[in-house]
Structure formats: C-alpha cells, structure tokens
Amino acid sequence: MQNRYTEPKLLHGSQEWLEARWRDHNGLSRVAASSAAAVHDEHEYMTAGDLATELLADKAPEPKKINAAMERGNRLEPVLIQWTSDLEEITLKTPDILYCFENGDARMIATLDAISADGMPFEIKTTKKRWDGVLPRQWYWQG
C-alpha cells in the first residue's frame, strides 16, 4: 500500500529538520532524497554503509558546519529559482512542507527546492565543475 503525505518543513539544516528526515512519526527510519544515491552506491560523499550506519544510529545526525559547496548552494538557490521562473514564464515557489512516501517497508522524504503551480518539482543544483551535458548519477537518484 502506498501512502503519500506531507509534514511541516522545519528550518532547513536545523537539528529538528534532520530529525524529521531521519525518522518518521512512528520512529521508523527513512531515506531522504539527497541520500538516495547511497542506496545504489552512486553518492559522491556517502557509501551505502555510511547511510546504513546513519539510519541505524540511536540518534539523528547533527547539523554540519557549512562548507563552500553548501554556501554556494544556499546563496544561489533563490536566485536560480527566480531566474528559472522568469525564463520559463512560470510561477515557482519554495514549499514550506516536506514530501513523504511509504510503500511497505520503504519510507522516503524529500525537501523540494521549488514547485510550479501545476505541481512540477524543481531541483536546483550548482557545481564548480564544468557542465558536460551529463546528469551526475547522484543527482539522478535524488530526483
């Protein structure tokens, strides 16, 4: 049985946000979209073992110190959402909810960067690498 639902979005990156992504309302672990690639061993910074260790831990991960990549994304994401909105002539908004999905033993959660009026999700990515026209596998699995 599939179950799709939403939860209030807490402050992005906060301890409360990390806890909501780590366990559902029943205390069961769930995979966040940003770590889904680790399940398939295609995550640049996390192995399947790292993810398992995180999900089986007694407590949620703690907020990480902001690094250059996080800073770049935090600064550019709102600008890129607005630019995309202008270029595509659509209205995009950043949701104030988390999107959750359950299917048997699988539990997932996603924080969407933006969503259009007709429900199309938008994921904003920045990189310091030159774009070669190929979507990185990590980003594929996040989608």
Side-chain angles (χ1 to χ4, degrees):
M1 178 178 145
Q2 292 185 358
N3 183 23
R4 296 172 194 261
Y5 60 97
T6 61
E7 295 180 359
K9 181 180 171 185
L10 304 160
L11 178 63
H12 187 87
S14 68
Q15 186 64 51
E16 295 78 15
W17 178 77
L18 289 168
E19 288 171 5
R21 291 165 35 101
W22 177 65
R23 295 270 193 254
D24 69 9
H25 54 279
N26 294 317
L28 299 172
S29 61
R30 52 185 167 190
V31 175
S34 59
S35 54
V39 173
H40 305 279
D41 281 326
E42 294 189 325
H43 197 290
E44 188 175 358
Y45 306 107
M46 176 185 282
T47 66
D50 294 335
L51 178 60
T53 299
E54 182 177 293
L55 295 177
L56 294 170
D58 291 334
K59 64 179 191 168
E62 295 184 359
K64 295 178 182 176
K65 182 179 176 189
I66 293 183
N67 60 34
M70 294 163 70
E71 178 77 14
R72 181 180 57 248
N74 289 340
R75 288 179 179 250
L76 293 178
E77 186 174 294
V79 174
L80 293 171
I81 290 169
Q82 185 60 55
W83 189 24
T84 302
S85 181
D86 294 345
L87 285 173
E88 297 295 324
E89 298 179 347
I90 57 175
T91 300
L92 294 176
K93 70 172 195 160
T94 299
D96 58 359
I97 54 177
L98 299 171
Y99 294 84
C100 307
F101 174 82
E102 297 173 354
N103 184 5
D105 290 331
R107 291 169 303 282
M108 297 176 274
I109 189 165
T111 303
L112 299 183
D113 292 338
I115 192 165
S116 66
D118 64 357
M120 175 68 71
F122 285 75
E123 179 65 24
I124 305 300
K125 293 295 185 193
T126 65
T127 182
K128 64 181 181 180
K129 298 175 185 174
R130 184 180 192 98
W131 172 251
D132 62 3
V134 177
L135 185 67
R137 296 297 294 167
Q138 181 176 328
W139 295 357
Y140 168 82
W141 286 113
Q142 184 175 357

